[in-house]
Amino acid sequence: MARIETPFADHFDTALLSGAPWIEALRRGGFDRYRALGLPTPRSEQWKYTNLRALARIPFAPAAPGSTVTAIPAGIAPLEDAYLAVIVNGRFDASLSALDGLPKGVESGSLAAKAAQDPAALEASLGRLADIESRPLAALNTASMADGLYLRLADGAALDKPLHLVCIGDAGDDPVGISPRHLIDMGAGSIATLVESHVGAGSYFANTVSEISVGAGAVLNHYKLQNEGPEAFHVAYTHVRLEDRSTYDGFVLQVGGKLARNEIRTHLGEHVECRLNGAYLGRGEQHIDNTTFIDHASPNSTSHEVYKGVLDGRSRGVFQGKILVRKDAQKTDGRQVNKTLLLSPGTEIDTKPELEIYADDVKCSHGATTGDLAEEALFYLMARGIDRKKAKAMLVVAFVGEAVAEIQSPGPRAAFQKTVDAWLGEEDEK
């Protein structure tokens, strides 16, 4: 990997997550690895279509502890009934959170508090999934992590309603860098729905890492809305390990940020059902990157992946999706689709679906399409008295709606559809 520079490296000692020598060693290892790798550049295949040079030019300083945020801003997925965990500038905010009444066997709160009170409980999971050897920004997060969400479900435990994680960036007058670190550990047979919303204001760089373990037979519904502020940089890396007979239903909706990249890697055991879906809506000069990797490591598992994008103005999208089927992963069923609508001549999409298969008894497919709205469909609607702008909006809603419909939970599905409708409504107001 080409190395250009290591901005943000001078702030290592300002991080707060501590509690045991092994945590300090983990952070030190992340720091050393980031210094060795440097910020990724387009010379790296993983970052070929996303250039971070603009990010490197901004002097982001670590966000100071304490917060001036007194209320949750607009732009989150509007869930009506959910537990609430709020992270402000990378640190858990108990005053804005509402986690009372969690069911028996469910523990959630501040990762920093857990590290300080019971570091031994984290030792088997913190830093075990995130790949810092080949991912410089995951190494940077590990070096500079201060706090984040801790969620643990005992064997057989179940969340009775979704847990809504709201991450707020609050830059104030000067640009700030934040490094939320989330740890989700689900025991065998447990069930949970986790909804993430990322919002904020000002110039900030959110470099998020999530480590998620889904135990045997467990079910995790995991839905994310990235609706960061227009001057924000959002880079997120999530690693999900799925044990035998578990289920993961994932969806990401990306609408905000100046530059946003959401990378998710999944490792599948046997008889696993994995759904990785998403949608991205860009306008202006936005750059939105979705990178996925599904590792079929064992036989008899299925993966289903649908990503749909709508790009307007001079926005740019990236989709990199790879399905790996290892030699022993017989009877794998893996499917992947990426479709993008380009609504104006200045838009661009780089899409790279990949299959890498070493087993011989599998069903796998992938495909990608790119184009404008069909004139025939527009003409059909306009012939029935609908003006062109309204007809165009109806077709875009239907196009994105097919992706949103992949969300298996009704409440989050409705909330995400409202966000899509609001994005289109902003266009109508112009």
Side-chain angles (χ1 to χ4, degrees), residues 304-346:
H304 179 80
E305 192 171 12
V306 175
Y307 273 77
K308 286 195 168 186
V310 179
L311 301 176
D312 205 351
R314 296 182 58 81
S315 60
R316 181 177 179 183
V318 177
F319 175 78
Q320 299 182 108
K322 182 172 182 176
I323 297 175
L324 170 63
V325 182
R326 298 184 185 272
K327 183 179 179 180
D328 295 333
Q330 303 292 351
K331 305 294 184 184
T332 286
D333 187 348
R335 302 176 189 278
Q336 178 192 86
V337 172
N338 173 227
K339 296 181 179 180
T340 308
L341 280 178
L342 303 180
L343 299 183
S344 61

Side-chain angles (χ1 to χ4, degrees), residues 170-336:
D170 181 32
D173 295 329
D174 299 313
V176 297
I178 55 181
S179 300
R181 184 65 169 248
H182 308 310
L183 186 64
I184 290 90
D185 188 3
M186 298 183 60
S190 59
I191 301 173
T193 296
L194 174 65
V195 180
E196 296 183 38
S197 293
H198 298 258
V199 295
S203 178
Y204 59 93
F205 167 36
N207 177 27
T208 302
V209 170
S210 301
E211 296 178 286
I212 301 175
S213 297
V214 184
V219 177
L220 176 61
N221 302 311
H222 183 200
Y223 312 122
K224 173 182 174 179
L225 166 65
Q226 182 280 112
N227 193 14
E228 303 278 23
E231 298 302 317
F233 293 80
H234 176 99
V235 178
Y237 165 60
T238 300
H239 194 120
V240 184
R241 183 176 180 86
L242 293 154
E243 301 296 344
D244 294 351
R245 300 185 183 282
S246 61
T247 299
Y248 179 80
D249 182 42
F251 185 90
V252 59
L253 174 60
Q254 297 218 72
V255 299
K258 182 175 185 178
L259 183 151
R261 174 181 164 107
N262 190 74
E263 178 179 357
I264 181 167
R265 297 177 67 85
T266 58
H267 181 278
L268 279 59
E270 188 167 5
H271 291 292
V272 165
E273 182 175 356
C274 176
R275 293 186 290 272
L276 284 188
N277 302 307
Y280 45 97
L281 310 174
R283 59 166 61 108
E285 301 282 341
Q286 283 183 283
H287 180 106
I288 301 176
D289 179 332
N290 284 284
T291 296
T292 69
F293 179 79
I294 299 175
D295 184 352
H296 282 272
S298 300
N300 300 305
S301 289
T302 65
S303 63
H304 179 80
E305 192 171 12
V306 175
Y307 273 77
K308 286 195 168 186
V310 179
L311 301 176
D312 205 351
R314 296 182 58 81
S315 60
R316 181 177 179 183
V318 177
F319 175 78
Q320 299 182 108
K322 182 172 182 176
I323 297 175
L324 170 63
V325 182
R326 298 184 185 272
K327 183 179 179 180
D328 295 333
Q330 303 292 351
K331 305 294 184 184
T332 286
D333 187 348
R335 302 176 189 278
Q336 178 192 86

Side-chain angles (χ1 to χ4, degrees), residues 120-166:
L122 305 179
E123 192 165 5
S125 50
L126 184 63
R128 302 302 180 184
L129 295 180
D131 172 18
I132 66 170
E133 290 302 310
S134 63
R135 282 168 170 72
L137 292 177
L140 176 63
N141 174 282
T142 300
S144 55
M145 58 185 175
D147 201 355
L149 175 72
Y150 173 67
L151 172 62
R152 183 179 182 279
L153 282 81
D155 291 352
L159 269 174
D160 53 343
K161 55 186 179 181
L163 195 162
H164 193 178
L165 171 63
V166 178

